[in-house]
Amino acid sequence: MFDPTLRVALRGSQLRLKRHAAAAALLGLGACLPLAASAETSLLQPSSFFTQFGSAHSTRALTAGLTWDMPYRWQLGTGEVSSYLEASYSYWNVQSRDRAGLSQLSQFALVPALRYRPDDGASPWFVEAGVGLTATSSVYRTRQKSFSTSFNFGTHLAVGRSFGERGQHEISLRLEHFSNAGIKHPNPGENFIQVRYARRF
């Protein structure tokens, strides 16, 4: 007879593989969207690379990703609003409720964002906001809270500054929130404080 324990283990492995595949597909979609946005060569290339580090209670997150400038701009008062799309991979160290030590998960995210710069867009200072889709390799659970879905929405608010001779460097402080918007319960949400460094190509 087939061992029930082995059957459960196999089902768990298959579920994890499906989650990884779905998350990878989400990130791949993020890489493809800028290609469809325009036939111009400038939109075929990422505009910047970024890395960031942050924490939420006992969870630590290390993130890397790419951004693509989008061709949508608006005047707002004395400033300018620009848009971009980012695709990222994040590695989380989590103090799990199921064990005394740490557990890990991966998160993939696809997030469009709007950025405002004063002085008709010439200021080195900026504020921005974004909302998009995220997927984790397993359901996020800590000693304090438990999510019910691997797919969640991600929102952020940030303030930052560009520097360097051509403004090619950026540093920003970000507040990021993840939850499923009440699609399924429990839905406690999680808030991260993140510091990001970006280098424009």
Side-chain angles (χ1 to χ4, degrees):
M1 294 181 64
F2 194 76
D3 187 351
T5 303
L6 180 58
R7 180 179 299 172
V8 170
L10 287 173
R11 287 179 178 174
S13 298
Q14 291 172 349
L15 182 58
R16 285 191 293 271
L17 286 173
K18 289 179 180 178
R19 286 172 176 168
H20 280 292
L26 180 62
L27 184 58
L29 178 61
C32 292
L33 281 179
L35 304 182
S38 172
E40 297 179 7
T41 303
S42 60
L43 288 181
L44 301 181
Q45 301 293 332
S47 55
S48 71
F49 165 83
F50 66 86
T51 183
Q52 68 186 38
F53 175 80
S55 64
H57 302 293
S58 55
T59 300
R60 303 291 182 266
L62 180 62
T63 306
L66 297 169
T67 71
W68 290 263
D69 288 338
M70 303 300 286
Y72 310 114
R73 294 176 178 271
W74 305 269
Q75 290 298 125
L76 182 62
T78 59
E80 181 185 70
V81 178
S82 59
S83 59
Y84 73 88
L85 180 72
E86 72 174 51
S88 65
Y89 168 80
S90 184
Y91 179 80
W92 294 8
N93 265 331
V94 183
Q95 284 196 355
S96 172
R97 62 185 300 180
D98 301 323
R99 62 192 74 180
L102 293 175
S103 61
Q104 294 80 33
L105 61 80
S106 296
Q107 183 199 57
F108 295 85
L110 177 63
V111 180
L114 297 177
R115 174 176 290 187
Y116 174 81
R117 289 184 185 269
D119 300 331
D120 293 324
S123 173
W125 291 96
F126 62 85
V127 294
E128 69 174 51
V131 57
L133 300 175
T134 73
T136 50
S137 56
S138 60
V139 175
Y140 178 62
R141 295 185 176 94
T142 72
R143 295 175 182 176
Q144 293 81 26
K145 60 183 64 178
S146 178
F147 278 33
S148 58
T149 58
S150 293
F151 287 90
N152 293 282
F153 297 98
T155 59
H156 75 264
L157 295 172
V159 59
R161 193 180 194 280
S162 301
F163 59 98
E165 292 183 1
R166 296 178 289 107
Q168 70 270 33
H169 304 284
E170 294 179 2
I171 190 77
S172 60
L173 180 65
R174 303 163 64 86
L175 173 62
E176 299 191 352
H177 173 78
F178 301 102
S179 70
N180 67 19
I183 294 174
K184 187 177 180 180
H185 294 281
N187 179 41
E190 187 65 282
N191 298 313
F192 283 79
I193 297 294
Q194 306 261 18
V195 175
R196 172 180 290 193
Y197 166 76
R199 173 65 161 85
R200 295 190 64 83
F201 297 131

